[in-house]
Amino acid sequence: MTQRRVTILGATGSIGRNALKVMAHAPGRFTLEALTAQENVEALAAAALAARPKLAVIGNPAHFAALKQALSGSGIAPAAGEDALLEAARRPVDVTVAAIVGIAGLKPTLAAIEHGGIIALANKECLVAAGELVMRAAAQHGARLIPVDSEHSAIFQVLDAAHPGWVKTVTLTASGGPFREWPLERMRQATPEQAVCHPNWAMGPKISVDSATLMNKGLELIEAQHLFALAPETLAVLIHPESIVHSLVAYCDGSVLAQASVPDMCTPLAYALAWPERMDAPVKPLDLAAVGGLTFSHPDEARFPALKLARQAMAAGGALPAVLNAANEVAVRAFLQGYIGFLDIVKTVEKTLDQADNKPLHGLEDVLAADGAARAFALKKTSAEAREDVSGLKPLLRKFASH
Ligand code: NAD
Ligand code: MG
């Protein structure tokens, strides 16, 4: 059993909290260097006082005084602001859990990659927007990216990476989300509360909405393309409402290897935290007889056009995946705040992709420029739509505010 020093970027989120739960399940095995969060200073302070890192960083500097007061006398150093967050990410550790949501995780993840070690990567948006850059940086600094996303953890466990020529297809499964069987007309009226109510997984608001539009699976195709150096045509998606089989790899001899477990992020987190060893995780054992049956079907791309858009961006490469991601982040936020309807999320992404200039991305500046331009366009689009239909404007849904 190897002892590990760990930093969690995004410690107050759904993944961050599950990572802390997995570590608490193995007393003595993990020590904490730093915990970070953006807004939720109370949750950060509570997590720090329970898990005893050396450092706790709140991204929003307005919360520094509150953090300092909450941690006074604890011996845990408080810090605030973007630079402090990057400094925390740069501290050498054995494992960094990259669990910030959205493009905001890109710079901190790159900072962690610079010190090498294992990156337990949940922050898929940084691979979607800057996959080549992130994979290059990891190779250059000798960092190991171990996926936390359940599908990618599954693929990592069953893919014979040494023999890519033997692999025929890699299939990512998708639960189908809460609107799997809803007709389009009903989806048009879907509320944020309905969209974040995932049937199988309890997750943060952004990824929950992504699961409802199936954009999450589109982002995951691009994530898999980069993580496993797979050609886009090798990648497939199957709807699997039980969320028991997390992904499948088909080989040239007809064998299909799949990884299965109950839908609980503690399993992929335990896998990434202990890799290349294994550890006990606080999860229920999988009882297939109790599950009874496993079902699979093809996704309906007419009702879920996000998949097609993601495939187009993946095939085009260059700046388009970054544009897709940025427009989606803006549109999801606009939906959660009540400014646009559910179907407008993917429409906004499509319009942003249509007008985007697809340039090659040579470095971080190029990624941030493509991200910024797409974000500005999508923002204009979503607020323009809101202005056109003032009657539909709902009050800001505060419960969906960032952690
Ligand atoms: P979440 O919203 O629950 O938590 C996000 C975390 O990021 C919080 O700690 C928050 O403080 C921090 N954060 C938010 N904005 C930030 C900013 N601007 N700067 C710095 N920190 C910021 O999200 P989540 O569901 O835990 O997801 C985190 C990541 O993991 C996402 O990329 C998501 O796609 C991925 N993921 C999540 C799950 C899941 O089960 N939740 C599964 C697979 C992948
Ligand atoms: Mg996933």
Side-chain angles (χ1 to χ4, degrees):
M1 183 178 94
T2 314
Q3 294 271 329
R4 292 212 149 141
R5 197 148 185 80
V6 179
T7 282
I8 305 180
L9 306 172
T12 54
S14 159
I15 290 290
R17 282 180 277 121
N18 274 321
L20 286 165
K21 181 175 160 190
V22 170
M23 285 190 266
H25 192 70
R29 185 157 179 170
F30 298 99
T31 54
L32 273 166
E33 181 66 27
L35 296 181
T36 83
Q38 182 62 16
E39 298 289 344
N40 193 339
V41 70
E42 294 84 12
L44 176 64
L49 291 171
R52 317 299 301 180
K54 271 200 199 155
L55 173 69
V57 184
I58 189 82
N60 183 346
H63 301 310
F64 178 68
L67 182 65
K68 191 173 168 202
Q69 194 189 359
L71 297 181
S72 77
S74 69
I76 303 164
E82 195 190 345
D83 288 346
L85 208 144
L86 292 176
E87 192 274 325
R90 277 192 202 100
R91 290 186 174 202
V93 285
D94 302 306
V95 185
T96 303
V97 181
I100 292 174
V101 59
I103 194 74
L106 177 58
K107 280 197 214 168
T109 302
L110 284 171
I113 285 174
E114 279 168 27
H115 65 64
I118 291 167
I119 312 291
L121 188 73
N123 177 217
K124 67 189 83 183
E125 294 91 348
C126 76
L127 272 184
V128 173
E132 281 165 28
L133 178 73
V134 170
M135 296 311 291
R136 210 168 44 232
Q140 187 186 341
H141 296 285
R144 277 306 304 248
L145 299 182
I146 309 296
V148 167
D149 216 347
S150 53
E151 298 75 5
H152 305 73
S153 176
I155 296 166
F156 188 83
Q157 294 181 58
V158 297
L159 180 71
D160 186 347
H163 300 99
W166 296 349
V167 175
K168 279 195 84 165
T169 52
V170 173
T171 302
L172 280 72
T173 55
S175 69
F179 307 148
R180 181 169 51 89
E181 293 184 320
W182 285 30
L184 267 176
E185 272 322 302
R186 192 169 170 211
M187 278 161 77
R188 194 182 306 284
Q189 310 298 330
T191 64
E193 288 85 349
Q194 290 167 324
V196 300
C197 189
H198 196 279
N200 303 344
W201 303 92
M203 308 183 288
K206 196 258 176 186
I207 183 175
S208 297
V209 176
D210 287 347
S211 298
T213 58
L214 283 203
M215 183 59 86
N216 183 49
K217 216 45 56 181
L219 300 177
E220 289 183 354
L221 287 172
I222 304 173
E223 181 185 12
Q225 176 199 23
H226 291 295
L227 271 176
F228 307 114
L230 293 168
E233 55 279 11
T234 314
L235 287 158
V237 172
L238 272 181
I239 302 295
H240 168 47
E242 297 81 17
S243 296
I244 297 293
V245 173
H246 299 295
S247 277
L248 316 97
V249 176
Y251 288 90
C252 53
D253 58 4
S255 277
V256 176
L257 301 191
Q259 183 265 353
S261 62
V262 297
D264 186 328
M265 290 309 292
C266 288
T267 291
L269 274 162
Y271 183 84
L273 283 163
W275 182 87
E277 299 175 16
R278 292 218 182 230
M279 63 179 283
D280 281 357
V283 295
K284 290 200 194 105
L286 174 58
D287 180 349
L288 281 174
V291 175
L294 299 177
T295 56
F296 300 90
S297 61
H298 291 296
D300 177 353
E301 294 201 3
R303 277 185 308 126
F304 297 101
L307 271 179
K308 193 177 62 206
L309 290 183
R311 276 203 177 278
Q312 285 165 355
M314 171 165 69
L320 289 197
V323 171
L324 173 97
N325 178 64
N328 183 57
E329 283 191 32
V330 170
V332 168
R333 179 167 286 256
F335 168 69
L336 284 173
Q337 293 178 336
Y339 291 113
I340 62 171
F342 180 73
L343 296 181
D344 298 327
I345 300 172
V346 177
K347 272 193 213 139
T348 304
V349 176
E350 185 172 18
K351 284 180 197 153
T352 313
L353 281 170
D354 280 350
Q355 58 80 51
D357 208 1
N358 192 12
K359 297 184 191 139
L361 302 179
H362 297 296
L364 183 60
E365 279 72 42
D366 291 349
V367 174
L368 297 178
D371 173 89
R375 217 164 268 274
F377 180 86
L379 209 54
K380 230 165 64 195
K381 218 59 229 158
T382 49
S383 56
E385 273 159 10
R387 266 201 303 277
E388 275 166 29
D389 180 17
V390 184
S391 60
L393 249 175
K394 300 174 194 101
L396 202 88
L397 294 160
R398 287 190 199 289
K399 68 177 167 177
F400 298 122
S402 177
H403 296 269

